[in-house]
Amino acid sequence: MKDYYEILGVSRNASAEDIKKAYRQMAHKYHPDKVGGDETKFKEINEAYQILSDARKKAEYDRFGRVSDGGGPTAGPGGFNWDVNMNDFNNMGDFGDIFESFFEGMGVRPRRKSYDHGADLQLGVEITLEEARAGKSMNLEFETKVVCDVCKGLGYKADKGVKKCEYCAGRGEIRESRNTIFGNFVQVVSCPECRGTGEIPVELCPNCKGEGRKKGFRSVKLEIRPGVTDGQIIKVKGMGEAGERKTEAGDLYVRVGIKRHPVFERRGDSLYMQLEVPITDILLGKKRKVVGLGGKELTVQIPAGFDVAKELRVSGEGVSRSGDLFIHIKIKTPKLDSKAKKLAEELEKLLGEE
């Protein structure tokens, strides 16, 4: 008497998942088309799996050591014929992948498709750094599929109505038979005629050819909030492509780009700029006026003897209230005449004495 557990290399208390896993590994290993394969062993493995994967047969085998309705090498799992021509496996890739797809597809009832939702759309806009700080409202107009203005999205003439789909008898789904190396499978799929609705329009809308949508232009008012960052994406729900026959529209995604500014560099919510001053402003600690982002005039105090390796900080003058303006001081090198050169030399001596 054959020991099916020993054939698959599993214990008697192995779970269904362990049995399935062991079968896949061994079937892959002993497949006749592979190097080291064994057709006899392959059929024996199939026979073992046929018994141990079936709850009723397994219980009978565990109790009596045999199965009354047989289960030889020609009766595979589910009663399918495993005594197949091994040439059928040629050019079909990895056997384990085939087996996995086979089991994932069994017993799965497809969801009715109905009609397609509208696709999401993506647009790009470009604004200035000033606009990014203050925020901006703008109107966008773009071409996409919009709701048919004749049938109002129905896709057919409302006064004609709909009728029951004869192809699926109004069920919205049909049974489809398919022959595979594992046998003949019957699968329930959405009806291709009514798209899973069970109904067929009596007369399609001539303007949109039954889609309930057509090419057109859509206008959207976009609100860009203050402090928007470069590359940020703003979602506008339901303003993408219109769906078929009044199904949900897609969403619009707008990517915001910020133009490079000639004066300011943005880092997070803070701004950075350079200010060129004569060396005397640093030596004497003078005040200078600068124009902030947006045209606001700012007065900054340069501390006497300021270290130019550091930056002056003006609080609250960044892209947002939480951001600051940092000013990098750059020394403007003057052209010296003989008198200025003499003064510079005297200053050098004076500083050297200190």
Side-chain angles (χ1 to χ4, degrees):
M1 183 179 66
K2 295 181 180 179
D3 187 337
Y4 292 132
Y5 290 100
E6 184 179 345
I7 291 173
L8 290 183
V10 296
S11 63
R12 289 188 171 270
N13 59 354
S15 66
E17 185 62 31
D18 291 336
I19 292 172
K20 176 181 176 181
K21 184 177 180 181
Y23 169 74
R24 291 179 59 187
Q25 291 175 342
M26 297 196 71
H28 182 76
K29 179 180 179 180
Y30 290 102
H31 185 274
D33 285 353
K34 291 185 173 291
V35 177
D38 186 324
E39 184 173 351
T40 301
K41 182 71 173 177
F42 182 71
K43 289 184 178 182
E44 190 177 50
I45 292 166
N46 287 327
E47 179 184 347
Y49 184 73
Q50 175 223 343
I51 302 301
L52 299 184
S53 63
D54 185 294
R56 183 188 63 80
K57 292 180 180 180
K58 182 177 182 296
E60 186 177 344
Y61 174 75
D62 289 343
R63 185 175 181 182
F64 303 109
R66 59 179 178 78
V67 179
S68 58
D69 59 350
T74 61
F80 298 118
N81 183 8
W82 282 96
D83 191 13
V84 294
N85 185 345
M86 292 305 160
N87 291 327
D88 292 341
F89 286 87
N90 292 338
N91 303 317
M92 294 192 66
D94 186 85
F95 181 77
D97 293 337
I98 299 171
F99 186 82
E100 183 175 9
S101 300
F102 160 65
F103 271 94
E104 286 178 351
M106 288 185 66
V108 178
R109 192 178 186 86
R111 185 179 178 182
R112 287 194 178 189
K113 181 179 179 182
S114 188
Y115 291 95
D116 292 333
H117 289 181
D120 293 335
L121 301 178
Q122 180 172 306
L123 297 177
V125 297
E126 194 173 46
I127 61 175
T128 64
L129 190 55
E130 289 85 354
E131 291 169 336
R133 183 187 189 188
K136 183 180 176 65
S137 295
M138 56 195 310
N139 292 316
L140 303 179
E141 187 173 355
F142 51 93
E143 186 177 18
T144 185
K145 289 185 177 181
V146 298
V147 174
C148 175
D149 54 353
V150 174
C151 66
K152 309 303 179 186
L154 284 175
Y156 57 88
K157 293 186 177 181
D159 58 336
K160 301 292 184 179
V162 295
K163 61 182 179 180
K164 184 172 72 173
C165 176
E166 296 181 358
Y167 192 79
C168 65
R171 291 189 297 269
E173 57 190 25
I174 60 172
R175 291 182 176 272
E176 194 175 72
S177 180
R178 183 164 61 96
N179 288 316
T180 73
I181 59 174
F182 299 104
N184 185 56
F185 291 93
V186 177
Q187 185 180 11
V188 178
V189 298
S190 293
C191 174
E193 292 296 316
C194 65
R195 306 278 290 279
T197 63
E199 297 176 333
I200 294 289
V202 174
E203 188 172 342
L204 296 179
C205 172
N207 190 50
C208 64
K209 304 296 188 291
E211 277 196 40
R213 60 184 183 176
K214 64 174 186 175
K215 283 189 176 181
F217 287 88
R218 172 164 279 177
S219 295
V220 176
K221 185 176 182 180
L222 181 69
E223 294 291 342
I224 302 177
R225 295 181 180 180
V228 65
T229 58
D230 184 48
Q232 184 173 331
I233 295 177
I234 301 173
K235 176 181 176 180
V236 187
K237 187 170 178 58
M239 296 306 290
E241 182 183 81
E244 286 186 289
R245 296 195 185 180
K246 288 196 170 183
T247 51
E248 186 179 357
D251 298 324
L252 173 66
Y253 294 86
V254 182
R255 183 183 294 273
V256 180
I258 300 176
K259 296 177 183 177
R260 187 172 181 177
H261 199 279
V263 176
F264 300 100
E265 178 188 351
R266 179 178 180 175
R267 301 178 196 172
D269 285 338
S270 295
L271 294 172
Y272 291 77
M273 66 172 291
Q274 285 190 351
L275 177 63
E276 192 175 48
V277 301
I279 191 170
T280 51
D281 283 15
I282 299 174
L283 295 175
L284 301 176
K286 290 190 174 182
K287 292 183 178 180
R288 292 298 299 260
K289 291 187 180 298
V290 297
V291 179
L293 185 66
K296 181 180 179 180
E297 190 175 82
L298 305 171
T299 300
V300 295
Q301 174 72 54
I302 303 175
F306 179 72
D307 184 357
V308 294
K310 299 180 180 179
E311 294 164 331
L312 289 176
R313 179 176 180 176
V314 185
S315 298
E317 292 299 331
V319 180
S320 67
R321 291 181 179 179
S322 61
D324 302 322
L325 171 63
F326 293 89
I327 304 174
H328 175 68
I329 300 297
K330 185 178 180 182
I331 299 175
K332 184 178 182 179
T333 306
K335 291 183 178 180
L336 302 179
D337 56 17
S338 57
K339 183 178 179 180
K341 185 176 181 181
K342 186 175 180 180
L343 290 173
E345 290 171 346
E346 291 177 0
L347 177 61
E348 183 181 24
K349 289 179 182 179
L350 181 61
L351 294 174
E353 291 175 1
E354 293 180 353

